[in-house]
Amino acid sequence: MSDLESDRLEGAPHPRETALLVGHDAAERAILDAIASGRLHHAWLLGGPEGVGKATFAYRLARRLFAGVRQGDRLASLDLPADDPTARKVLAGSHPDLVVLRRILKKDGKALTSNIPVDLVRRALDVFTSTSAAGGWRICIIDSAEDLDRSAANALLKV
């Protein structure tokens, strides 16, 4: 992965590299309750100031869902060992059912684009038009939704 990533805070590990998350107990409990009740929504919007762990929470949830969670399962937490094969795939950015939408490097490779373009959204959402590669969940993390240009946001809303 590039050292210049729009979803990495300077001086901090990337959210996909972070297993420990502090201060999101209520959000985690809400997700765990939704899974246990069999009513996990198709989309979750995480809000808050920059750097509080929204992306870390999203990667944490993705790792746990990919590791084998079914609606109705009762889980104590979203923890998953770092050596779990699913966790390693997410860490490497190679899980076939995970799409991450974020600002990307410009063609010159020196700076990031100012927004997430519609063509990137359309290509990324192809994961939802076919069967899951791993036979389970398909997940898209958007970091951050404010970076979607108008056409990209509209394309996303059509899914």
Side-chain angles (χ1 to χ4, degrees), residues 3 6 19 25 41 46 56 61 71-72 86 90 97 101 120 122 133 140 158:
D3 289 337
S6 64
D25 298 337
H41 297 288
L46 305 174
T56 300
L61 175 59
Q71 295 275 14
T86 300
V90 171
D97 295 319
L101 289 173
L120 189 63
R122 287 182 181 140
C140 179
K158 292 178 182 177

Side-chain angles (χ1 to χ4, degrees), residues 11-152:
H14 191 281
R16 75 176 165 270
E17 300 168 353
T18 307
L20 179 64
L21 184 62
V22 178
H24 291 273
D25 298 337
E28 185 165 319
R29 185 80 261 145
I31 293 276
L32 294 171
D33 289 346
I35 292 169
S37 71
R39 296 176 183 246
L40 184 63
H41 297 288
H42 74 282
W44 290 78
L45 181 62
L46 305 174
E50 183 177 358
V52 298
K54 300 177 301 289
T56 300
F57 185 86
Y59 280 102
R60 181 176 167 82
L61 175 59
R63 284 190 298 265
R64 191 63 191 97
L65 291 175
F66 287 145
V69 172
R70 293 181 316 251
Q71 295 275 14
D73 284 352
R74 297 197 181 281
L75 305 171
S77 75
L78 296 175
D79 288 338
L80 190 66
D83 62 349
D84 182 272
T86 300
R88 291 195 318 263
K89 285 181 187 175
V90 171
L91 175 62
S94 63
H95 196 287
D97 295 319
L98 177 63
V99 175
V100 179
L101 289 173
R102 61 184 178 193
R103 294 181 300 132
I104 57 173
L105 284 174
K106 291 182 179 180
K107 291 181 182 177
D108 65 10
K110 296 180 182 178
L112 295 167
T113 57
S114 60
N115 58 28
I116 300 170
V118 66
D119 61 319
L120 189 63
V121 171
R122 287 182 181 140
R123 279 185 280 145
L125 294 179
D126 283 345
V127 74
F128 295 102
T129 62
S130 61
T131 305
S132 167
W137 298 91
R138 292 167 292 164
I139 298 173
C140 179
I141 297 174
I142 305 168
D143 196 358
S144 107
E146 293 89 5
D147 291 337
L148 292 165
D149 69 23
R150 175 172 278 183
S151 298

